[in-house]
Amino acid sequence: EILPFLIDVTCKHVFLWFVEQEKDPGFWKEWAQRTLKNALNLQDLNKNVAKNIILFLGDGMGVPTVTAARILKGQLNGQNGEETQLEMDKFPYVALSKTYNTNAQVPDSAGTATAYLCGVKANEGTVGVSAAAVKSQCNTTRGNEVTSILKWAKDAGKSVGIVTTTRVNHATPSAAYAHCVDRDWYSDGEMPDEALQNGCKDIARQLFENIPDIDVIMGGGRRSMYPRNTPDVEYPGEKKHNGTRKDGRNLVGEWTDRMKDKVKDETREKQGTSFHLFIYNKDLFSLNPNNVDYLLGLFEPADLPYELERNKETDPSLTEMVDVAIKILQKNERGFYLLVEGGRIDHGHHDGKAKQALHEAVEMDRAITRAGLLTSIYDTLTVVTADHSHVFSFGGYTHRGNSIFGLAPIISDIDQKPFTSILYGNGPGFKLVNGARENVSTVDFKQNNYQAQAAVPLSMETHGGEDVAIFSKGPMAHLLHGVQEQHYIPHVMAYAACIGQNKDHCRTNSGSPFLSHISPTLALLLSVKWLLC
């Protein structure tokens, strides 16, 4: 019990030192000069080829969520919070992304995913198809398919992976491999008969058929892979988790058989190739990534649990999944593309549960830190962004160091009741007691599932329409600057990696590489310098 005491005393000492330092104008001037020096170093642009490209997508992680997560991260470490840096805050380049869909001012996660993965803006509710496709109209699919940067990377010989805290066939990941006019067609059990008769495929089926050799897939969504009424292996007594497929197919079994044959073929050419299939969560912790080339990890029937509710003994965190994914993918000498989604930030906000949402955002930032330790800024382009925002805010003239989940220091001058700093523009947190606004001092507003008060009653809180941030580091990261259309993001990433249609700049007239990778030693030194700064 001595160690926690020492940590607590140390944090308080550092906190008091920090507060005293802030009274000295020289403290702020020296801080600014250090920042200026680092900014001047950015004049030496990193124009190397990106061997590896990683996209971290915080679903629903608008700028207010980023700021609140930063404060939460600091407060979890015993600090005020406002002065804390998220890992994404350390990235040298920041831009803004315009998130609208082709038919929506305030977007959804499907149309936005098509933009930042396929490089084409699209209609709300559709994935992997252009704006010529109409939501839920199967006959508008054919001929309007668009491919993603994951496919461009796979076609270039790179390893590719998808890691998400939602279902692997949810809106964000599905745009990486599927072409579907309805984001809710998770399995054929959720599709109308007319769509099936017209030849449209459900998203789970497309995961295994469109790009059959995705090297790493981790997330939830088991029930979409099994025949209807098949009991779940982890929750056999809960019917809501049973399989949903009407076609009787066992997609996991089919993947296993196909991978066995593929591994046999590849083993003839190289030794050590293997595959691994996960069903039970705890299996991930005993995995040796060096012995695995293909990984399918389906850890829940639907979405993974919130970080605050996760069983740390059996349920993998986003950071743990990212760690394993990168260690598997980076064995490919040609590099890799990895899509990582912190998908339950969005779910927390929709439920009005800000504490759940912000802890999800902090966990994604931990995963970003882990990815940075496993890669080099010299040959890895890392981009962090969001698909859209939410009508989430925090204010009320709170004092420095106020708990991000705490009360504002004033009461309403209209109804003379206190209010929390965090509020929503709409959502399930709207509550009236005897015809008046609920008095939050009578409830536990710091509990994990507290629904923050909302101005307009809705069963689910809505997305927000403002621009979202794009943080980037690594080769060609400087191209993500200013205010950009969301569909610009994958084009920059492809350009940096010399994949897809962006290849001409990668060679000189003589045909030799114009942009080159550097030695592993120098890359390691630069990574250490980055972390120290």
Side-chain angles (χ1 to χ4, degrees):
E1 296 181 1
I2 295 178
L3 184 57
F5 172 76
L6 290 175
I7 292 174
D8 184 57
V9 170
T10 301
C11 287
K12 288 179 180 177
H13 176 73
V14 171
F15 166 70
L16 291 173
W17 172 84
F18 208 93
V19 170
E20 287 302 310
Q21 290 293 307
E22 289 182 359
K23 297 177 182 178
D24 179 5
F27 168 79
W28 299 104
K29 292 178 181 180
E30 290 173 11
W31 190 346
Q33 289 300 311
R34 290 195 304 270
T35 304
L36 176 60
K37 184 178 179 180
N38 288 335
L40 290 171
N41 289 334
L42 295 179
Q43 294 181 93
D44 299 325
L45 300 178
N46 182 346
K47 295 184 179 181
N48 300 307
V49 171
K51 176 182 178 182
N52 311 311
I53 40 180
I54 306 175
L55 177 63
F56 281 92
L57 191 287
D59 198 318
M61 192 181 69
V63 173
T65 298
V66 173
T67 307
R70 177 190 304 132
I71 294 172
L72 174 59
K73 176 184 176 181
Q75 292 180 348
L76 290 172
N77 291 325
Q79 302 166 352
N80 275 332
E82 299 86 359
E83 72 287 346
T84 302
Q85 276 193 309
L86 292 167
E87 189 66 24
M88 65 186 87
D89 291 338
K90 302 174 187 177
F91 286 25
Y93 300 100
V94 181
L96 289 176
S97 168
K98 298 163 67 175
T99 64
Y100 66 90
N101 296 147
T102 48
N103 65 341
Q105 185 179 76
V106 178
D108 90 315
S109 295
T112 51
T114 304
Y116 61 75
L117 290 174
C118 303
V120 174
K121 286 241 178 188
N123 291 327
E124 173 269 333
T126 66
V127 292
V129 290
S130 72
V134 180
K135 183 180 179 181
S136 302
Q137 294 188 18
C138 173
N139 60 1
T140 65
T141 306
R142 189 179 299 275
N144 293 319
E145 301 92 342
V146 291
T147 58
S148 76
I149 187 170
L150 182 141
K151 187 176 191 307
W152 309 340
K154 191 66 176 178
D155 290 346
K158 295 182 182 295
S159 294
V160 296
I162 296 171
V163 173
T164 179
T165 53
T166 68
R167 286 155 280 185
V168 295
N169 50 344
H170 208 256
T172 294
S174 65
Y177 57 83
H179 313 290
C180 191
V181 293
D182 196 317
R183 58 174 288 180
D184 294 329
W185 291 354
Y186 299 118
S187 76
D188 63 341
E190 284 93 355
M191 294 178 64
D193 291 338
E194 182 182 1
L196 292 171
Q197 292 165 3
N198 287 334
C200 280
K201 299 179 182 179
D202 63 89
I203 296 172
R205 177 181 171 186
Q206 292 188 58
L207 170 62
F208 297 103
E209 293 184 356
N210 289 3
I211 309 175
D213 296 332
I214 297 175
D215 302 81
V216 173
I217 303 169
M218 281 191 274
R222 275 197 306 259
R223 67 186 183 194
S224 298
M225 315 299 169
Y226 292 98
R228 176 173 286 181
N229 296 325
T230 301
D232 183 75
V233 293
E234 194 173 7
Y235 310 102
E238 299 184 41
K239 292 185 177 181
K240 66 179 181 179
H241 295 317
N242 287 355
T244 61
R245 303 200 62 80
K246 292 192 296 188
D247 58 11
R249 293 177 63 177
N250 180 338
L251 298 181
V252 171
E254 293 177 15
W255 179 88
T256 302
D257 292 339
R258 186 174 70 249
M259 284 300 125
K260 285 180 180 178
D261 293 337
K262 183 175 179 61
V263 167
K264 289 179 181 178
D265 293 339
E266 291 186 355
T267 303
R268 297 189 185 102
E269 302 177 9
K270 64 174 184 176
Q271 295 298 316
T273 303
S274 66
F275 78 97
H276 208 104
L277 167 66
F278 288 122
I279 293 298
Y280 293 104
N281 304 334
K282 62 184 179 182
D283 291 345
L284 182 67
F285 305 125
S286 61
L287 171 71
N288 182 352
N290 293 324
N291 298 330
V292 177
D293 283 349
Y294 301 100
L295 172 62
L296 174 63
L298 300 175
F299 303 118
E300 288 290 332
D303 303 315
L304 303 193
Y306 283 120
E307 177 62 20
L308 284 175
E309 299 172 356
R310 181 173 63 87
N311 183 328
K312 293 178 174 55
E313 299 299 321
T314 59
D315 300 330
S317 68
L318 185 61
T319 300
E320 290 164 339
M321 291 191 290
V322 167
D323 180 88
V324 171
I326 292 177
K327 287 176 179 177
I328 293 173
L329 297 174
Q330 66 186 3
K331 294 185 294 182
N332 187 338
E333 294 181 354
R334 295 185 179 181
F336 65 83
Y337 170 82
L338 176 61
L339 169 64
V340 181
E341 182 196 20
R344 303 220 66 193
I345 301 170
D346 179 70
H347 295 175
H349 281 320
H350 277 309
D351 288 341
K353 299 175 180 178
K355 191 167 186 177
Q356 297 284 12
L358 296 185
H359 276 271
E360 292 295 309
V362 171
E363 171 57 24
M364 193 180 85
D365 198 64
R366 293 190 194 103
I368 296 169
T369 300
R370 186 58 187 154
L373 292 171
L374 294 171
T375 58
S376 163
I377 59 167
Y378 215 80
D379 68 356
T380 302
L381 171 63
T382 304
V383 177
V384 180
T385 190
D387 47 358
H388 54 75
S389 187
H390 277 267
V391 292
F392 160 88
S393 66
F394 68 99
Y397 301 112
T398 47
H399 299 306
R400 179 77 180 276
N402 193 78
S403 168
I404 191 62
F405 304 116
L407 295 175
I410 58 176
I411 63 172
S412 167
D413 59 357
I414 304 298
D415 65 10
Q416 283 72 53
K417 293 178 182 177
F419 59 95
T420 55
S421 173
I422 288 177
L423 298 168
Y424 285 96
N426 57 51
F430 178 92
K431 289 183 178 67
L432 295 178
V433 177
N434 297 323
R437 181 172 69 90
E438 182 180 55
N439 188 333
V440 295
S441 65
T442 65
V443 298
D444 183 4
F445 53 82
K446 289 191 176 181
Q447 60 111 341
N448 293 350
N449 290 308
Y450 171 72
Q451 292 178 311
Q453 291 188 339
V456 177
L458 289 176
S459 58
M460 286 184 64
E461 177 264 6
T462 71
H463 294 170
E466 73 268 24
D467 298 348
V468 298
I470 310 170
F471 305 87
S472 59
K473 68 173 181 177
M476 297 293 178
H478 57 279
L479 298 179
L480 289 165
H481 67 99
V483 180
Q484 304 291 350
E485 296 286 352
Q486 192 170 48
H487 75 280
Y488 173 66
I489 296 171
H491 293 279
V492 170
M493 299 184 76
Y495 184 90
C498 294
I499 61 176
Q501 68 185 77
N502 297 293
K503 299 176 183 176
D504 293 344
H505 65 291
C506 301
R507 297 184 177 279
T508 63
N509 293 333
S510 64
S512 59
F514 176 69
L515 302 174
S516 60
H517 305 300
I518 60 163
S519 70
T521 302
L522 183 54
L524 177 61
L525 290 174
L526 286 166
S527 294
V528 171
K529 179 182 177 184
W530 170 267
L531 291 170
L532 291 177
C533 293

